[in-house]
Amino acid sequence: MKALDFSPSVLAALGAAALFGASTPLAKLLVEGLSPFLLAGLLYLGSGLGLSLVRLIRDRGWKPTGLPAAEWPWLLGAIASGGIAGPVLLMAGLAQTSAATASLLLNLEAVLTAVLAWVVFRENADRRIVLGMVLIVAGGVLLSVPASGEATTDLAGPVLIAAACLAWAVDNNLTRKVSASDALFIAGTKGLVASAANLGMALFLGASLPATSILLPAMLVGFLGYGVSLVLFVLALRGLGAARTGAYFSTAPFIGAALAILLLGEPTSLSFWLASALMATGVWLHLTERHEHEHSHEALEHHHRHLHDAHHQHAHDFEWDGREPHAHPHHHPALTHKHAHYPDIHHRHKH
């Protein structure tokens, strides 16, 4: 029997899904009745402001981002696709689509993320990972199917929601390109841009800000469910790659449904338990993956938090207190070796 892998990256991916999944029933409890754009804007605002504050406290003031010049186009592309285009397309689609159909279509994000990762960005995936992804997404689809058989005959709404999922899939894969950099900065910047886009649209359409008793709890939910969740998502991208992170993250609907049952007293159904079994099997396939072969690393220079493991055997040209993990620009010489690995920031090689 294969051992389960609960590495920090796997735990980060599952933690991101748990926080994001929890944000849906919590938001329903706190801010029911707000316009979709205003709600999205408040959630993203809590994420952007909260993470920016955490970063200022951590760094004891403002410090340069440390993002290499070559990675700025990737980050800007991710923000444009996931922080601006995605929410706008989703809200436009929701206006023409039933909630049940929309929930079903949102499962496309994980599929499109994986397809782009495998086909466009050449991320490795074996049959075990593909089957796990299929089972997790099948569970999400089953969880989203309305009991009444509700459907929509208008194609405009579903097409817009599918386009939003594609935008977020592009965002996920572009964010993978910058995932070695400061996760707080990446997630905080996305939150600020997305909040500006959504709040701007809400105010343009005539919405007004709610009372403080609603505003602050909504921003807190956004900080945890969108902000901290996105930080964990970026850390998972760093260690797992886009396809595997997307698969773990697609368990969020199950987590949200489970919390809705606990917090809101919503009834369970046979489809809920079948979806749970499918998702659990898919996650198990991923947790028991072992990918090992001889591979070569090209020489590389980058900047991220690291331990002095097999990939970080370097000297320091500055005074070091011996604490790990730590971050600084460092050089990786060319190296060929064999060990179990994921398609992380050090293993983006061809097979």
Side-chain angles (χ1 to χ4, degrees):
M1 182 176 178
K2 294 189 176 184
L4 297 179
D5 176 15
F6 287 105
S7 65
S9 296
V10 169
L11 293 176
L14 293 174
L19 286 171
F20 184 76
S23 69
T24 301
L26 290 175
K28 184 176 181 179
L29 283 172
L30 293 171
V31 291
E32 189 172 2
L34 294 182
S35 75
F37 280 114
L38 184 60
L39 172 56
L42 292 178
L43 293 172
Y44 279 119
L45 183 63
S47 167
L49 291 181
L51 294 180
S52 298
L53 179 60
V54 170
R55 183 168 177 261
L56 287 173
I57 295 173
R58 182 199 64 184
D59 296 341
R60 298 178 182 178
W62 183 88
K63 288 186 178 180
T65 64
L67 190 70
E71 293 186 2
W72 274 102
W74 299 118
L75 177 59
L76 294 176
I79 291 173
S81 59
I84 299 176
V88 171
L89 288 168
L90 175 63
M91 297 307 163
L94 285 175
Q96 306 177 58
T97 311
S98 69
T101 301
S103 297
L104 177 63
L105 289 168
L106 286 174
N107 288 286
L108 281 173
E109 180 185 347
V111 178
L112 293 172
T113 295
V115 169
L116 287 177
W118 296 333
V119 176
V120 178
F121 295 93
R122 302 299 181 183
E123 188 174 298
N124 167 258
D126 56 25
R127 286 178 293 181
R128 188 182 193 86
I129 292 300
V130 174
L131 178 58
M133 165 65 79
V134 170
L135 291 176
I136 291 171
V137 172
V141 170
L142 186 60
L143 197 65
S144 305
V145 172
S148 62
E150 180 183 2
T152 178
T153 56
D154 186 0
L155 289 179
V159 168
L160 287 169
I161 293 175
C165 290
L166 178 59
W168 284 319
V170 171
D171 172 16
N172 294 338
N173 279 278
L174 294 183
T175 300
R176 175 182 180 253
K177 290 284 191 178
V178 300
S179 59
S181 298
D182 185 4
L184 278 176
F185 167 72
I186 293 170
T189 302
K190 281 188 174 184
L192 291 174
V193 173
S195 68
N198 282 278
L199 285 176
M201 182 64 69
L203 296 175
F204 175 78
L205 294 175
S208 57
L209 293 178
T212 305
S213 59
I214 295 179
L215 178 68
L216 294 182
M219 290 177 63
L220 177 60
V221 170
F223 170 65
L224 295 173
Y226 284 55
V228 177
S229 173
L230 183 53
V231 170
L232 293 174
F233 189 87
V234 172
L235 294 176
L237 286 173
R238 182 184 299 174
L240 299 175
R244 289 161 179 82
T245 300
Y248 285 125
F249 191 76
S250 64
T251 61
F254 163 72
I255 296 170
L259 284 174
I261 292 169
L262 293 174
L263 296 178
L264 305 178
E266 295 184 358
T268 58
S269 63
L270 178 60
S271 62
F272 173 81
W273 296 111
L274 290 175
S276 302
L278 287 170
M279 286 187 163
T281 304
V283 170
W284 176 80
L285 286 171
H286 281 222
L287 290 175
T288 53
E289 175 198 12
R290 184 173 179 84
H291 179 75
E292 181 174 353
H293 61 92
E294 185 174 272
H295 54 277
S296 297
H297 298 267
E298 297 180 357
L300 171 68
E301 290 189 10
H302 60 176
H303 182 178
H304 67 94
R305 287 173 61 82
H306 60 275
L307 302 169
H308 282 192
D309 55 19
H311 298 94
H312 297 93
Q313 296 297 316
H314 52 250
H316 295 87
D317 57 3
F318 57 87
E319 187 175 347
W320 177 45
D321 59 10
R323 293 183 181 180
E324 293 184 345
H326 61 176
H328 61 87
H330 55 278
H331 174 76
H332 293 268
L335 172 67
T336 298
H337 61 175
K338 179 181 179 181
H339 64 94
H341 59 278
Y342 292 110
D344 58 24
I345 57 174
H346 298 110
H347 297 93
R348 296 178 178 175
H349 49 256
K350 295 181 180 179
H351 290 75

